[in-house]
Amino acid sequence: MTRKTVGEALVAGLKARGVSCVFGIPGVHTVELYRGLAASGIRHVTPRHEQGAGFMADGYARVSGQPGVAFVITGPGLTNTLTPMAQARADSVPMLVVSGVNASGTLGKGHGHLHELPDQHALAKTVALISAHVAQPEELEAALDRAFAPFSAGRPGPTHVQIPLDVAGTTSQNGPEVSVPAQPPLDPAQISVAAGRLSAASKVVILGGGGAKGAGRDLQALSERLDAPVVQTVNARGLMHGHPLTVPASPSLRAVRALIGDADCVLALGTELGPTDYDMYATGSMPAMAGLIRVDICQDQLARRETELAIHSRAEDAISALLAALPAHQKHSRGAARAEHTRAAAFEEIGADYRAQVEVLNAMRAAVPNALMVGDSTQPIYAGNLYYDHDRPGGWFNAATGYGALGYGIPAAIGAAIAAPDTPVICIAGDGGAQFSLPEIMAAVDENLPITFMIWNNRGYGEIANSMQDVGVPVVGCDPTPPEFGPVAASFGIPYSRVPMEPQAVAAALRETSKSGTPSILEIDITGPAPDQE
């Protein structure tokens, strides 16, 4: 067997496991990890900051369904990537971070070596599902197996492999020996019990979470068989676009809580039932869920909340089994009427300002059908998370739930565009959040990605300012001056336009930018009349 350095073996191991793209910034502590990359056929994308590498890997993973991979240096490279790892963990996104670490004999000594941390491995363990340390060349393949295991069985999230400087350049005879864990087997008895309870119920409600994104048509067929409205969390939007049984609204809204509370059986599919979806107003309570049947890939997640019937399974496998077990005839429980009433009440409940922003989102969807809309924490994203019906499963995602990291949108949109090169991508970021990661747009320029970076410019942290005012706190620190985005776009060498917050104006501008085939910036100015386009 041909001898390879550990760095070369790492690249070969990644390729053997289906990796086709890595995001990273080379540094003196990762040079050996790059040794085999150029000849491997694996694409390398260079962000402008390691946080960008992690968020790009996140966006790539959400769209491709494959783990996003980031290469980062020891110390600051790893710490800069912890925020994206935490976001990925909150949203169950498969991500592998490969880092260097100082030479084995120096670890924990505190001698002050370049990029030294007291215990990098322990730090990574606080966020990663698995953090593997490769102490010897022969340990690499086992470390990769451990790191990839959560991506194919169980609840995915970020994992980490670190390779010391003195190990990365040494040689080993190990070759790729890929081990793929099996999915948990379905329990036929549980499916039979669940089918019986669902058949007997007169008002079923289905809760669809991000874990149900792969269910596609089967989820629609199940909802029709049960005549059950389907409430979708943020990460499930697009699964039931335009369907009479769809409820594309937050279960934190009173109207949606009423629908769930009126059910005599609730079927929760691939949702952690977390407060950023179900209690975003911090009431301290969850919607009442009678006869709760819960399906989740994570056994630990199933144990965290009281459930009448917990089924350990991928959502798509459980849905398929339920369809086979349920009677073929369709129930009639006024599901469409219940869903329609909830949609109307929920849309009214979000208020006039958010309704206006949702109308802009609707116009964007009509102007560029089947686009990927990737968002940061900004007002139209908050509005859409409360109520918005996207037209593509998995095509609406953002960082305003779960960990809630600002600066996510721009780099995540880049990862998404690389994963789906023939799909239009729209990044929705506020002027405040955009300033966290604005330089990453140059990576989109380098890669020639057709992304419209839509900057929602209210000249500050408008949502936070409103929150401070609502509780009588004087507004402080919420008005950072944004740059002039026209000159910024010119410095990037990309097109720029600015329009007011009017649905048709935004739609017309998006139609034009989507034709360009290049990155562009579209500024939405909500503070006054739009000046002439530049």
Side-chain angles (χ1 to χ4, degrees), residues 58-143:
D58 178 300
Y60 177 89
R62 294 193 199 223
V63 173
S64 70
Q66 301 299 313
V69 180
F71 277 14
V72 300
I73 65 165
T74 308
L78 190 278
T79 56
N80 285 339
T81 316
L82 288 175
T83 292
M85 291 171 71
Q87 185 72 48
R89 180 153 185 166
D91 287 346
S92 304
V93 176
M95 176 193 296
L96 169 62
V97 174
V98 180
S99 76
V101 71
N102 283 316
S104 303
T106 72
L107 298 181
K109 301 290 180 62
H111 290 162
H113 289 277
L114 180 66
H115 303 330
E116 185 177 73
L117 282 167
D119 192 340
Q120 180 175 291
H121 193 203
L123 181 63
K125 285 180 179 179
T126 64
V127 178
L129 297 175
I130 290 168
S131 179
H133 176 81
V134 180
Q136 301 292 334
E138 293 74 19
E139 296 176 4
L140 176 65
E141 290 303 324

Side-chain angles (χ1 to χ4, degrees), residues 297-347:
I297 193 66
C298 178
Q299 189 72 63
D300 291 340
Q301 190 63 250
L302 289 170
R304 289 179 181 137
R305 294 194 181 275
E306 186 175 342
T307 304
E308 290 202 11
L309 179 60
I311 300 175
H312 184 209
S313 167
R314 296 192 309 168
E316 51 264 49
D317 294 340
I319 292 170
S320 178
L322 284 170
L323 282 169
L326 286 165
H329 65 275
Q330 182 176 322
K331 296 178 66 171
H332 297 284
S333 57
R334 299 186 67 252
R338 291 155 57 211
E340 181 179 17
H341 172 78
T342 303
R343 288 194 301 269
F347 191 60

Side-chain angles (χ1 to χ4, degrees), residues 137-186:
E138 293 74 19
E139 296 176 4
L140 176 65
E141 290 303 324
L144 289 176
D145 279 346
R146 288 182 60 208
F148 274 78
F151 306 153
S152 55
R155 184 184 184 189
T159 62
H160 170 242
V161 172
Q162 69 174 22
I163 303 175
L165 282 172
D166 57 312
V167 175
T170 57
T171 59
S172 169
Q173 291 187 349
N174 275 3
E177 299 175 4
V178 179
S179 175
V180 180
Q183 294 289 347
L186 267 173

